[in-house]
Amino acid sequence: MTTLRSEAARSGRQPPTLVPDRDCPLCPRLVAFREANRAREPSWHNAPVAPFGDIKARLLIVGLAPGMQGANRTGRPFTGDYAGDLLYATLLEYGFAKGTYQARPDDGLKLVDCRIANAVHCVPPQNKPLPVEINTCRQFLAANLAAMPKLRAIVALGRIAHDTVLKPLNLKASQAPFGHGAVHQAGAFRLYDSYHCSRYNTNTGVLTPDMFRSVFAKVKADLD
């Protein structure tokens, strides 16, 4: 992202790394939760989850945080829980992935012109990160945005992901209110909003598979 790269160059600061260290100490509550999970399930990933996909992709999907039984266990975003079932099926349908999704990181699935990251890199208790944790982890998301040279489209899965992306894009909340299916222009980038593809949202009818597919159909049409 040109603006972020320019700001880093002017300040003389090195941009933050794209992924927190495995033993990142920045959020004490998440550190304690991580350590408890490691003691209980030592074979799980139990660490910050790195983005998945090519840094040269034109599409970035931003989720909330790793799920306990999903990415926190497997180490790959949206892999191993219901949200991943719907997300990867949709990406395969619209050509943003190839292969077969089998809910494990060695299934051979490849993303196509697409990258997936989270607003918060560590699993939070009850899947609910605190505002201070979201703010602290934003530096890594901003670094990923800045490092993607061909980025054109961002899909925010849920309001928290949407709000987290606004600051790096220099958008005010009043300029880009969250709403499923909404599209916001931010210079050369477009931000697409979707309700999160969680089991809760689909079970309650807040989000249907057709509603979810419609977002990616729009992204695909715009990128083509």
Side-chain angles (χ1 to χ4, degrees), residues 179-203:
H180 181 83
V183 182
H184 312 282
Q185 196 72 37
F189 311 103
R190 283 186 175 178
L191 172 61
Y192 300 78
D193 288 340
S194 174
Y195 293 134
H196 195 282
C197 48
S198 65
R199 184 183 294 275
Y200 176 82
N201 280 346
T202 56
N203 282 352

Side-chain angles (χ1 to χ4, degrees), residues 7-8 11 85 217:
E7 288 178 354
S11 68
D85 294 345

Side-chain angles (χ1 to χ4, degrees), residues 102-216:
Q102 297 179 351
R104 63 177 197 271
D106 62 350
D107 56 15
L109 183 81
K110 302 294 185 183
L111 297 183
V112 178
D113 203 17
C114 177
R115 185 170 169 87
I116 303 174
N118 279 316
V120 175
H121 285 71
C122 293
V123 61
Q126 300 177 332
N127 291 322
K128 295 179 179 179
L130 299 177
V132 66
E133 294 160 353
I134 297 168
N135 290 336
T136 298
C137 211
R138 184 183 288 115
Q139 62 183 295
F140 301 104
L141 178 61
N144 274 272
L145 290 167
M148 296 181 69
K150 298 182 179 180
L151 181 64
R152 286 179 53 194
I154 303 164
V155 173
L157 300 180
R159 182 181 296 275
I160 291 176
H162 167 93
D163 290 346
T164 300
V165 168
L166 292 186
K167 187 171 183 180
L169 292 181
N170 294 315
L171 284 175
K172 297 179 180 178
S174 59
Q175 295 174 305
F178 176 80
H180 181 83
V183 182
H184 312 282
Q185 196 72 37
F189 311 103
R190 283 186 175 178
L191 172 61
Y192 300 78
D193 288 340
S194 174
Y195 293 134
H196 195 282
C197 48
S198 65
R199 184 183 294 275
Y200 176 82
N201 280 346
T202 56
N203 282 352
T204 58
V206 170
L207 178 70
T208 66
D210 282 345
M211 290 169 62
F212 196 59
R213 286 194 290 266
S214 70
V215 173
F216 287 91

